[in-house]
């Protein structure tokens, strides 16, 4: 296998791990929408620290749980 193919395979593997981590962090929301902390930055939102480098910002509405953003911890948001 060429090095570029190996690199692509490694990147895909890391992306899949990150997707699984984020997915697993939001699964409990269906049963416990208020499980995680309120966001002090944006009123009416909550946040999940899914990984030391990734934060999921979400909002609980009457009929749904809306994931608003997935941020790298160094990103600025409101």
């Amino acid at each position: 296998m060429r090095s570029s193919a190996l690199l692509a395979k490694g990147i895909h593997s890391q992306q899949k791990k990150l997707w699984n981590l984020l997915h697993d962090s939001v699964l409990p929301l269906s049963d416990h929408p208020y499980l995680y902390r309120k966001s002090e930055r944006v009123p009416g939102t909550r946040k999940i620290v899914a990984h030391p480098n990734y934060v999921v910002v979400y909002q609980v509405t009457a009929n749904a749980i809306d994931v608003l953003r997935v941020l790298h911890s160094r990103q600025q948001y409101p």
Side-chain angles (χ1 to χ4, degrees), residues 1 57 71:
M1 222 180 234
V57 180
L71 301 163

Side-chain angles (χ1 to χ4, degrees), residues 2 5 11 13-15 27 30 37 39 41-42 44 59 66 72 75-76:
R2 293 182 1 182
I11 290 171
S13 173
Q14 292 299 318
Q15 289 172 334
L27 279 179
S30 61
R37 297 173 52 172
S39 173
R41 295 182 185 215
V42 180
Q59 185 173 36
D66 298 322
H72 189 277
Q75 280 182 282
Q76 294 290 324

Side-chain angles (χ1 to χ4, degrees), residues 10-37:
I11 290 171
H12 179 70
S13 173
Q14 292 299 318
Q15 289 172 334
K16 189 172 183 175
K17 285 179 185 177
L18 179 59
W19 171 257
N20 288 337
L21 179 74
L22 294 171
H23 182 262
D24 291 346
S25 72
V26 299
L27 279 179
L29 294 178
S30 61
D31 292 327
H32 307 284
Y34 298 100
L35 179 64
Y36 298 102
R37 297 173 52 172

Side-chain angles (χ1 to χ4, degrees), residues 1 3 6 9 20 28 37 42 45 59-60 69:
M1 222 180 234
S3 61
L6 289 173
K9 185 176 181 181
N20 288 337
R37 297 173 52 172
V42 180
T45 64
Q59 185 173 36
V60 180
R69 304 256 332 244

